[in-house]
């Protein structure tokens, strides 16, 4: 979330210009962890020894922290705006952010084509959210979640945060069900549907570089609760 959107409630511990310093610190730590994690993955650094498991866990927590912070900012910034009669303006801002994330995602795909990593066919599927990118797939996740954010906020206001929390608990408890779903069949020997299933609920043949949409939403809701 960009600067200047944080709430100005005096009860919160804030820094200069109305920013919440704790959120900024948490975001900075998550950025550091993500960069270290990506660098080690790119250069093949492994964490097999048991003494490094805690460090591996800490670095892997970067994405959940980012997604939870996104949920926190929805609750702190946008829910009050929706309740205060500024729903249309707030929706426009969220959709603008969604478009920005999608454009950046497309740019990364174009760059992968330019350096010969992706074919035009796979790049086209990736742009249509039926593929994946290394390290930048989170942009696809944010683009879709920002697009769904106005609906999520309206559901939160209408049915309460506890109802969304109940949904999150159900998604986590339903893991065995999602795990048992059959993998999409190959089409002409190619895995066209696997990346889609992976992005939607974590299924399919292919891995994805970001949380599944369904499970990622549970972290967004968790951030709203926090």
């Amino acid at each position: 979330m960009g600067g200047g959107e944080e709430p100005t409630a005096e009860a919160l511990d804030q820094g200069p210009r109305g920013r919440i310093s704790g959120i900024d610190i948490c975001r900075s730590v998550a950025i550091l962890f993500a960069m270290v994690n990506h660098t080690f993955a790119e250069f093949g650094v492994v964490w097999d020894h048991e003494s490094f498991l805690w460090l591996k866990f800490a670095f892997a927590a970067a994405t959940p922290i980012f997604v939870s912070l996104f949920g926190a900012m929805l609750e702190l910034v946008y829910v009050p705006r929706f309740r205060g009669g500024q729903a249309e303006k707030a929706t426009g801002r969220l959709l603008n952010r969604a478009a920005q994330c999608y454009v950046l995602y497309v740019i990364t795909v174009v760059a992968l084509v330019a350096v010969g990593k992706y074919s035009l066919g796979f790049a086209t599927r990736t742009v249509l959210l039926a593929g994946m990118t290394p390290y930048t797939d989170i942009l696809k996740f944010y683009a879709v979640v920002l697009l769904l954010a106005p609906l999520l906020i309206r559901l939160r206001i209408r049915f309460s945060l506890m109802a969304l929390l109940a949904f999150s608990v159900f998604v986590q408890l339903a893991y065995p069900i999602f795990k048992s779903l059959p993998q999409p069949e190959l089409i002409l020997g190619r895995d066209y549907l696997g990346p889609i299933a992976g992005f939607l609920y974590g299924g399919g043949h292919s891995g994805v570089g970001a949380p599944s949409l369904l499970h990622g939403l549970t972290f967004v809701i968790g951030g709203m609760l926090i």
Side-chain angles (χ1 to χ4, degrees):
M1 309 299 290
E5 292 189 358
E6 287 77 359
T8 57
E10 294 180 359
L12 297 172
D13 179 20
Q14 299 172 326
R17 301 183 301 280
R19 300 183 67 89
I20 303 175
S21 57
I23 289 180
D24 286 338
I25 292 172
C26 192
R27 183 187 293 112
S28 299
V29 171
I31 291 173
L32 174 63
F33 283 178
M35 292 301 98
V36 171
N37 203 30
H38 289 174
T39 301
F40 285 173
E42 182 65 24
F43 289 97
V45 178
V46 296
W47 303 84
D48 291 337
H49 198 278
E50 292 184 359
S51 60
F52 292 113
L53 288 179
W54 67 272
L55 196 57
K56 181 179 180 181
F57 176 82
F59 288 146
T63 298
I65 290 174
F66 275 126
V67 178
S68 298
L69 284 175
F70 171 75
M73 296 313 300
L74 286 184
E75 180 71 19
L76 291 171
V77 178
Y78 287 98
V79 169
R81 292 182 181 179
F82 270 69
R83 284 176 166 165
Q86 302 180 53
E88 183 176 350
K89 182 178 179 181
T91 298
R93 185 177 290 270
L94 288 167
L95 297 183
N96 181 58
R97 293 297 178 86
Q100 290 177 7
C101 287
Y102 180 72
V103 168
L104 290 172
Y105 179 69
V106 171
I107 290 174
T108 65
V109 176
V110 171
L112 289 167
V113 173
V115 298
K117 296 288 187 179
Y118 281 11
S119 67
L120 286 177
F122 185 72
T124 300
R125 298 200 302 273
T126 302
V127 167
L128 295 175
L129 309 186
M132 61 169 292
T133 61
Y135 309 131
T136 58
D137 234 31
I138 191 67
L139 290 170
K140 173 176 68 177
F141 173 82
Y142 274 127
V144 176
V145 172
L146 280 161
L147 188 66
L148 296 176
L151 174 61
L152 183 65
I153 293 172
R154 291 186 184 278
L155 291 174
R156 181 260 182 273
I157 294 174
R158 181 175 178 84
F159 297 106
S160 82
L161 190 54
M162 290 301 102
L164 294 183
L165 180 61
F167 165 78
S168 298
V169 172
F170 169 78
V171 169
Q172 297 299 332
L173 293 178
Y175 173 77
I177 298 175
F178 295 121
K179 188 70 174 178
S180 65
L181 291 176
Q183 295 183 341
E185 297 292 334
L186 298 178
I187 300 176
L188 301 177
R190 294 181 178 273
D191 187 20
Y192 291 116
L193 301 179
I196 298 176
F199 177 60
L200 291 178
Y201 64 90
H205 303 275
S206 303
V208 292
S212 73
L213 181 62
L214 187 63
H215 294 88
L217 282 173
T218 67
F219 281 96
V220 174
I221 294 170
M224 296 174 76
L225 179 67
I226 291 173

